[in-house]
């Protein structure tokens, strides 16, 4: 036996290892399982969050039933309505409706409610008295008689309030509209 046989002076590889091909770790092959693992965790977390959210909403809404109900005005648990200051100087406004086939006249006495402590609103409304009278006349002249029925009063009040707050008044904010008189008469 030679001294070189026992010492295995070769490359340091065993004869079995030199015959097997070397496998490279890295690249897309090593990255793909990691990506799939995180994607599965993300999808699982998303499903869990959606499930918990749906269950929570159903519990809060008492089984998904709508909780909208009309308030009983005679109930003692209704909050207090705010007390407003009222601008009453518009006076009576008379005009004709937009109807073409039959002629109708409208007589309106309207008051404007604003915040009680808002002195600037009171001043602005007083300064714009003529503009307010003209607005009321033009507003009702642009309506048909059928639109001015008692069933439409709340919609009319809301439209007037929105128009005054967005287009006519600068600092004052209209909180309520009250029709003292709203008469629609057919002219013969």
């Amino acid at each position: 036996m030679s001294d070189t046989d026992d010492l295995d002076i070769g490359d340091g590889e065993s004869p079995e290892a030199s015959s097997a091909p070397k496998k490279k770790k890295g690249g897309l092959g090593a990255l793909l399982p990691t990506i799939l693992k995180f994607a599965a965790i993300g999808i699982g977390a998303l499903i869990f969050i959606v499930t918990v959210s749906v269950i929570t909403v159903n519990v809060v809404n008492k089984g998904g039933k709508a909780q909208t109900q009309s308030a009983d005005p005679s109930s003692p648990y209704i909050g207090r309505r705010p007390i407003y200051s009222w601008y009453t100087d518009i006076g009576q406004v008379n005009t004709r409706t937009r109807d073409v086939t039959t002629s109708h006249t409208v007589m309106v006495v309207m008051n404007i409610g604003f915040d009680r402590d808002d002195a600037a609103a009171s001043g602005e409304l007083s300064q714009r008295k003529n503009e307010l009278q003209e607005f009321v006349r033009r507003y009702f002249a642009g309506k048909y008689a059928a639109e001015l029925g008692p069933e439409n009063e709340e919609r009319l009040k809301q439209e007037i309030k929105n128009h005054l707050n967005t287009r006519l008044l600068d600092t004052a904010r209209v909180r309520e509209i009250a029709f003292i008189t709203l008469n629609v008469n057919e002219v013969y």
Side-chain angles (χ1 to χ4, degrees):
M1 255 183 95
S2 111
D3 290 336
T4 58
D5 289 338
D6 288 344
L7 295 176
D8 194 23
I9 298 184
D11 289 342
E13 296 178 0
S14 65
E16 298 88 28
S18 63
S19 65
K22 286 188 177 180
K23 219 178 190 184
K24 275 190 172 179
K25 291 285 187 182
L28 187 60
L31 190 59
L32 188 62
T34 307
I35 292 173
L36 290 175
K37 178 175 71 173
F38 284 114
I41 290 171
I43 291 172
L46 184 65
I47 291 171
F48 176 75
I49 291 170
V50 169
T51 304
V52 169
S53 298
V54 167
I55 291 171
T56 304
V57 168
N58 283 338
V59 168
V60 168
N61 287 340
K62 297 181 182 169
K65 297 177 187 169
Q67 292 184 358
T68 57
Q69 53 185 335
S70 60
D72 180 17
S74 63
S75 173
Y77 301 109
I78 300 292
R80 292 188 201 181
R81 288 182 46 104
I83 298 173
Y84 297 119
S85 293
W86 291 91
Y87 180 72
T88 60
D89 290 342
I90 295 174
Q92 180 175 323
V93 176
N94 295 315
T95 189
R96 290 188 179 262
T97 61
R98 188 177 185 179
D99 296 303
V100 177
T101 56
T102 58
S103 183
H104 290 83
T105 61
V106 180
M107 183 188 72
V108 180
V109 177
M110 182 181 91
N111 293 341
I112 300 174
F114 57 93
D115 290 330
R116 199 172 181 184
D117 301 327
D118 194 356
S122 176
E124 184 177 0
L125 289 168
S126 295
Q127 291 173 354
R128 295 186 184 270
K129 176 182 176 181
N130 293 332
E131 292 175 70
L132 290 170
Q133 288 174 334
E134 181 186 5
F135 164 73
V136 172
R137 184 189 55 75
R138 280 186 293 119
Y139 179 81
F140 285 100
K143 296 290 181 184
Y144 293 102
E147 296 175 304
L148 301 176
E151 66 276 359
N152 295 328
E153 280 191 20
E154 289 304 315
R155 184 180 55 80
L156 294 171
K157 289 177 182 181
Q158 189 63 40
E159 285 178 6
I160 291 170
K161 185 169 66 169
N162 289 341
H163 186 82
L164 291 175
N165 284 337
T166 57
R167 296 186 185 155
L168 190 65
L169 301 174
D170 292 329
T171 58
R173 288 294 151 242
V174 175
R175 303 296 182 200
E176 190 72 39
I177 298 292
F179 293 129
I180 305 306
T181 305
L182 177 56
N183 291 332
V184 181
N185 298 315
E186 187 173 354
V187 178
Y188 298 104

